[in-house]
């Protein structure tokens, strides 16, 4: 099972998010993976780039979950971007540490907000640990990336 399949399964079967929320969150996930690859100078498949262009400029903004909740989602996405950029600057400066590891995981803040929007603050709070468990990388794995750089 791929990482995206695992996310989708958890969104649908564990967090019980509605289809439009799942679709929007997965488009966001795919976009940030492509953007991260571009920023790192890693190869990006043309079809992945084309899908990302379409999704970020058209599909994500037309998604019914996003349209209904844009006022709540946009600020959290903005924070996700700023946290990733700060983490990326630390990494490029050779200052990667536990803080940059945590800050690069802002996507899960968006997932938690989606859970709150769909099921309320009480359910989101009671299940926040399930969102945290979605993060697939450990601090040790993250730091090894920089030991070998």
């Amino acid at each position: 099972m791929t990482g995206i399949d695992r996310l989708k399964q958890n969104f649908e079967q564990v967090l019980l998010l509605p289809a439009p929320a799942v679709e929007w969150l997965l488009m966001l996930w795919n976009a940030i993976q492509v953007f991260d690859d571009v920023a790192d100078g890693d190869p990006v498949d043309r079809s992945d780039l084309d899908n990302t262009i379409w999704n970020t400029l058209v599909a994500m903004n037309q998604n019914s979950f996003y349209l209904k909740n844009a006022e709540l989602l946009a600020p959290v996405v903005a924070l996700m971007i700023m946290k990733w950029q700060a983490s990326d600057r630390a990494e490029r400066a050779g200052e990667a540490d536990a803080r940059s590891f945590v800050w690069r995981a802002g996507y899960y803040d968006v997932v938690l907000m989606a859970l709150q929007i769909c099921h309320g603050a009480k359910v989101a709070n009671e299940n926040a640990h399930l969102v945290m468990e979605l993060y697939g990388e450990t601090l040790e794995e993250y730091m090894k990336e920089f030991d070998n750089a």
Side-chain angles (χ1 to χ4, degrees):
M1 178 179 292
T2 65
I4 192 90
D5 293 333
R6 188 175 69 83
L7 280 176
K8 183 176 184 189
Q9 181 180 45
N10 276 280
F11 293 164
E12 293 173 341
Q13 297 174 15
V14 177
L15 301 178
L16 304 175
L17 296 174
V22 171
E23 180 182 85
W24 185 81
L25 286 167
L26 294 177
M27 284 189 285
L28 181 61
W29 173 259
N30 283 325
I32 62 177
Q33 299 310 304
V34 169
F35 294 152
D36 186 64
D37 287 345
V38 169
D40 291 343
D42 296 336
V44 175
D45 182 74
R46 183 57 196 229
S47 65
D48 290 339
L49 179 61
D50 289 344
N51 287 335
T52 298
I53 292 168
W54 180 262
N55 287 342
T56 57
L57 296 176
V58 179
M60 289 178 67
N61 299 311
Q62 305 254 329
N63 175 279
S64 62
F65 172 72
Y66 183 77
L67 287 171
K68 183 178 177 185
N69 301 291
E71 288 182 2
L72 297 171
L73 292 167
V76 182
V77 172
L79 290 174
M80 175 194 76
I81 293 166
M82 289 185 276
K83 288 167 69 174
W84 179 84
Q85 290 172 333
S87 175
D88 188 63
R89 283 191 294 274
E91 292 168 6
R92 292 179 192 282
E95 298 171 357
D97 60 16
R99 295 170 298 176
S100 58
F101 171 72
V102 171
W103 271 44
R104 70 180 292 110
Y107 174 76
Y108 301 98
D109 296 344
V110 180
V111 173
L112 189 56
M113 177 56 79
L115 183 62
Q116 179 183 336
I117 290 168
C118 294
H119 298 298
K122 183 178 187 299
V123 170
N125 189 40
E126 291 169 352
N127 291 281
H129 68 285
L130 298 173
V131 175
M132 181 179 67
E133 291 170 5
L134 292 174
Y135 195 49
E137 184 178 37
T138 66
L139 175 60
E140 292 75 26
E141 292 166 338
Y142 170 75
M143 292 307 297
K144 281 182 188 176
E145 292 179 37
F146 302 100
D147 291 339
N148 297 326

